């Protein structure tokens, strides 16, 4: 059995394993990583041999790290171990994939959905619906691009409404406020000024990854997609993507107990910074802390770096995703739309949900 894991920004790790009587009887590690000294590879293979076939990533990681420490201290290795482009944890993830406990991108076919404009509350409701549909086995993994015509603010599940949003600015600019089911920060989303998409995947795809690792793993294709339109982008902090000119995008995530993960990103395309600062309180505070009065110095729009129309950028992103992973065109189903409308009435359009953290 073989499993592979491509470290975001790093190297490919592959593990070939055999299982006998519930334990790993043979383990061979390979990949395009860098490892010194050469003999450390044998130490890693031996450390994994004999481990339970149902061992978690943390247990396999500790077995590798302990074996390497012992080999350094007892002289088995004649120099300190250097692991470049990978680590013990990425080896453990590759082993878990070989054993079928975790999956890779190539194990799935993604349904790509790009419906026409929908009300903001429906966009939030569909995040919940499609994640629940995957958890229930009624739909496969999905990539959904958002479209909307209204001005909106999406606040994180745990954010304080009054601390994030200015009622006067909301009223002045006719903004709809929606609370997401995921955490993270507030997003000011005027039609045409953002690129937003949701990725719904099985939990097996991020098996063994920390939240920080899963953000980078699920957004790795975005770095490549931005490169395809001429933007040199990198990860920044826990959940942001930035270019040399500044922040471009931020992600948020929600994991359901049923085994599905919602991961979405909002990317600045052509943001109206003055309007955003009138609507979002937190924007003013962040800019004040940085000693600047212009949001353009903190959020760098994709339009200024690509010169492309928003629709063309989205089309390029779609093509980049399909070039990497198996994907098919799909659409929202009547029953999914009906469930989303129900959730709008009961939750996402309900002031009690919006103000659940006052």
């Amino acid at each position: 059995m073989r499993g592979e894991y491509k470290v975001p920004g790093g190297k490919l790790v592959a593990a070939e394993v055999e299982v006998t009587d519930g334990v790993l009887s043979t383990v061979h590690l390979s990949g395009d990583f860098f490892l010194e000294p050469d003999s450390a590879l044998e130490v890693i293979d031996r450390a994994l041999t004999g481990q339970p076939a149902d061992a978690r990533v943390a247990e396999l990681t500790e077995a590798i790290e302990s074996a390497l420490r012992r080999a350094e201290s007892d002289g088995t290795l004649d120099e300190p171990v250097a692991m470049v482009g990978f680590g013990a944890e990425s080896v453990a993830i590759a082993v878990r994939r070989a054993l079928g406990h975790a999956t890779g991108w190539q194990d799935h076919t993604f349904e790509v959905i790009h419906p026409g404009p929908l009300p903001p509350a429906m966009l939030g409701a569909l995040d919940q619906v499609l994640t629940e549909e995957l958890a229930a086995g009624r739909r496969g993994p999905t990539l959904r691009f958002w479209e909307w015509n209204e001005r909106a603010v999406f606040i994180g599940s745990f954010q304080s409404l009054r601390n994030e949003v200015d009622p006067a600015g909301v009223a002045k600019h006719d903004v709809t406020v929606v609370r997401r089911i995921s955490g993270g920060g507030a997003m000011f989303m005027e039609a045409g000024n953002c690129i937003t998409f949701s990725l719904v995947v099985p939990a097996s795809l991020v098996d063994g990854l920390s939240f920080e690792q899963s953000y980078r793993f699920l957004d790795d294709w975005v770095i490549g997609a931005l490169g395809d339109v001429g933007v040199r982008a990198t990860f920044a902090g826990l959940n942001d993507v930035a270019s040399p000119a500044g922040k471009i995008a931020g992600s948020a995530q929600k994991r359901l107990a049923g085994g599905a993960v919602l991961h979405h990103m909002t990317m600045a395309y052509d943001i109206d910074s003055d309007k955003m600062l009138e609507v979002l309180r937190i924007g003013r505070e962040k800019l004040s802390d940085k000693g600047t009065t212009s949001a353009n110095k903190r959020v760098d729009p994709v339009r200024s770096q690509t010169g492309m129309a928003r629709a063309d950028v989205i089309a390029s992103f779609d093509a980049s995703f399909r070039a990497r992973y198996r994907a098919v065109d799909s659409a929202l189903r009547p029953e999914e739309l009906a469930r989303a409308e129900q959730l709008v009435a009961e939750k996402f359009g309900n002031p009690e949900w919006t103000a659940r953290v006052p």
Side-chain angles (χ1 to χ4, degrees):
M1 297 179 286
R2 178 182 172 88
E4 296 181 348
Y5 175 60
K6 170 63 170 64
V7 180
K11 297 298 182 178
L12 177 71
V13 182
E16 295 183 2
V17 305
E18 294 182 7
V19 176
T20 304
D21 296 330
V23 300
L24 304 181
S25 55
T26 305
V27 180
H28 293 299
L29 184 68
S30 63
D32 61 356
F33 50 78
F34 300 95
L35 176 63
E36 297 291 346
D38 286 354
S39 52
L41 186 65
E42 297 175 11
V43 174
I44 296 173
D45 288 348
R46 288 198 303 269
L48 293 168
T49 303
Q51 293 294 320
D54 60 355
R56 306 295 297 178
V57 166
E59 296 166 333
L60 296 173
T61 300
E62 175 57 28
I64 295 167
E65 291 176 343
S66 296
L68 291 173
R69 286 194 299 267
R70 287 195 302 271
E72 287 180 342
S73 63
D74 66 16
T76 301
L77 298 177
D78 55 10
E79 60 180 284
V81 175
M83 305 173 76
V84 182
F86 80 120
E89 193 169 48
S90 53
V91 173
I93 293 168
V95 170
R96 289 274 298 178
R97 289 186 173 180
L99 294 167
H101 301 310
T103 57
W105 290 97
Q106 302 306 325
D107 295 317
H108 304 285
T109 297
F110 292 82
E111 300 180 41
V112 179
I113 304 173
H114 192 175
L118 292 168
M122 275 290 285
L123 294 170
L126 283 168
D127 268 348
Q128 179 172 333
V129 170
L130 294 178
T131 308
E132 291 176 344
E133 288 296 289
L134 174 61
R138 291 187 291 265
R139 178 184 277 280
T142 61
L143 171 64
R144 176 173 62 100
F145 291 97
W146 292 24
E147 297 293 346
W148 64 100
N149 288 330
E150 305 171 43
R151 296 187 187 96
V153 166
F154 282 79
I155 61 174
S157 180
F158 310 107
Q159 288 189 296
S160 164
L161 177 62
R162 62 169 170 259
N163 287 345
E164 299 296 327
V165 180
D166 188 324
V170 166
K172 176 181 177 180
H173 297 293
D174 191 22
V175 174
T176 300
V177 181
V178 180
R179 185 179 293 277
R180 305 190 305 269
I181 61 171
S182 60
M187 308 183 303
F188 174 67
M189 295 171 49
E190 193 170 15
N193 78 349
C194 295
I195 296 170
T196 300
F197 48 83
S198 297
L199 188 62
V200 178
V201 302
S204 61
L205 188 60
V206 295
D207 179 86
L209 301 180
S210 67
F211 272 94
E212 182 174 11
Q213 289 172 322
S214 70
Y215 275 105
R216 298 193 173 204
F217 178 70
L218 295 176
D219 284 336
D220 189 54
W221 73 274
V222 179
I223 301 297
L226 283 166
D228 290 343
V229 295
V231 178
R232 184 161 57 90
T234 58
F235 294 113
L238 171 66
N239 60 335
D240 290 341
V241 170
S243 76
K247 177 179 172 180
I248 293 175
S251 296
Q253 201 174 105
K254 174 69 175 180
R255 302 189 182 194
L256 298 189
V261 178
L262 165 67
H263 179 90
H264 50 202
M265 172 177 281
T266 291
M267 187 173 299
Y269 173 73
D270 187 18
I271 205 159
D272 184 333
S273 59
D274 292 335
K275 196 176 297 178
M276 180 185 74
L277 292 178
E278 291 183 4
V279 173
L280 296 182
R281 297 184 192 276
I282 197 68
R284 303 170 204 167
E285 296 172 9
K286 286 184 177 179
L287 294 175
S288 175
D289 290 343
K290 295 177 182 294
T292 179
T293 57
S294 173
N296 290 326
K297 294 183 180 179
R298 193 178 74 88
V299 180
D300 183 58
V302 171
R303 180 181 179 183
S304 67
Q305 297 191 55
T306 66
M308 296 171 62
R310 176 179 176 274
D312 292 337
V313 175
I314 292 175
S316 181
F317 282 14
D318 187 328
S320 294
F321 187 87
R322 293 171 190 262
R324 280 192 174 212
Y325 313 125
R326 286 200 308 269
V328 296
D329 291 329
S330 187
L332 296 169
R333 300 166 184 161
E335 61 270 25
E336 292 168 341
L337 288 167
R339 171 61 176 154
E341 289 172 354
Q342 179 186 3
L343 285 173
V344 168
E346 298 175 353
K347 184 175 182 178
F348 293 93
N350 188 328
E352 291 185 6
W353 165 257
T354 306
R356 80 180 187 101
V357 182

